[in-house]
Amino acid sequence: MNRKYLYPMLIIIVTVGFYYFEGYIENNDFTDEKTKNTTDLGFYYLPTSTTGAIIVHDFYSLSYSEKHEQAEWVAYELKKEHLSKNEFKRPFFEEDRKVKSSSADWRNYKKSGYDRGHLCPAGDRRFTYQAFEETFLTSNITPQNHEFNSGIWNYLEQKIRYWAKVYDGVYIITGGILSEDLPTIGYEHISVPKQFYKIVFNNSSTNPKMIAFLIPHKDTKTPLKNFVVPVDEIEKLTGIDFFTSLEDKVENQLEASSATHGWKF
């Protein structure tokens, strides 16, 4: 081959090979960091995702449903040392840049008659401003009736903080039941769930326990215990497998139970 063409071709081949190698290294570094985050921050009980859009943030993880413009679940650990009464200035809601399809605009909620209800509560993330601020991403909110949001849902959140203190930490998975033909709000048609759930897991080495709540989206004065259901029931409604990393025997036993003993109400 004529040297006039040989050297330029060699340069092109070397350049392409360099960029390929650089991209390979970057991708492997990213994967390692994501794995490190999910382990170090207590995200080792991530549920399955029906959408394939799992997002790992610094202080909680979620699976985003573009169809419903909200998370199908949000998962996080609430340790005893996380509990704080710090008062921070309430930030503005912002779209979640990690959601490739773009999370819903907060303006969809204006004049909708619904609260921008947190899934990972801001009250559970008061230990630093960074953690508090992260709960104001729109991937972490869902339309909630005000009486429900400030009533039984708020009461359940407070109860979980109490359990985090008493049992030295709990793991929480929460979301709305996202089904077909739900009413919507806003120009992006954000679904309004008819039911919401919370699953609480205390992974004690001597006595692991789990409790789940399925609550209709309405104002109610009914005691919390009346809304306790087996995790299996929520899995049937959502198509999500919540604790795949547990040993099958332990998972099956805990998820089939609707017992409340062992939980201080």
Side-chain angles (χ1 to χ4, degrees), residues 187-204:
Y187 67 92
E188 290 182 285
H189 307 292
I190 301 173
S191 297
V192 181
K194 295 178 181 178
Q195 295 172 292
F196 285 92
Y197 69 88
K198 281 189 186 290
I199 304 169
V200 186
F201 176 46
N202 174 240
N203 190 20
S204 167

Side-chain angles (χ1 to χ4, degrees), residues 116-229:
R116 289 165 288 199
H118 284 74
L119 291 172
C120 176
D124 286 359
R125 290 294 181 254
R126 293 186 181 275
F127 48 90
T128 67
Y129 181 72
Q130 180 188 3
F132 181 77
E133 183 181 38
E134 193 176 69
T135 67
F136 286 82
L137 296 174
T138 58
S139 57
N140 184 47
I141 62 174
T142 180
Q144 288 188 334
N145 174 283
H146 177 71
E147 287 72 22
F148 172 86
N149 186 24
S150 62
I152 193 167
W153 195 248
N154 178 56
Y155 180 62
L156 178 53
E157 291 173 347
Q158 293 181 38
K159 181 62 68 176
I160 291 172
R161 289 181 201 119
Y162 169 71
W163 287 335
K165 182 179 180 179
V166 171
Y167 304 124
D168 196 22
V170 292
Y171 195 82
I172 302 139
I173 305 173
T174 184
I177 302 296
L178 303 181
S179 57
E180 299 293 334
D181 301 322
L182 290 173
T184 64
I185 62 168
Y187 67 92
E188 290 182 285
H189 307 292
I190 301 173
S191 297
V192 181
K194 295 178 181 178
Q195 295 172 292
F196 285 92
Y197 69 88
K198 281 189 186 290
I199 304 169
V200 186
F201 176 46
N202 174 240
N203 190 20
S204 167
S205 58
T206 56
N207 184 33
K209 54 183 177 288
M210 189 179 294
I211 191 168
F213 299 85
L214 182 63
I215 308 178
H217 186 191
K218 62 182 181 180
D219 186 24
T220 180
K221 299 297 187 290
T222 304
L224 272 177
K225 281 188 177 181
N226 290 39
F227 299 108
V228 174
V229 298

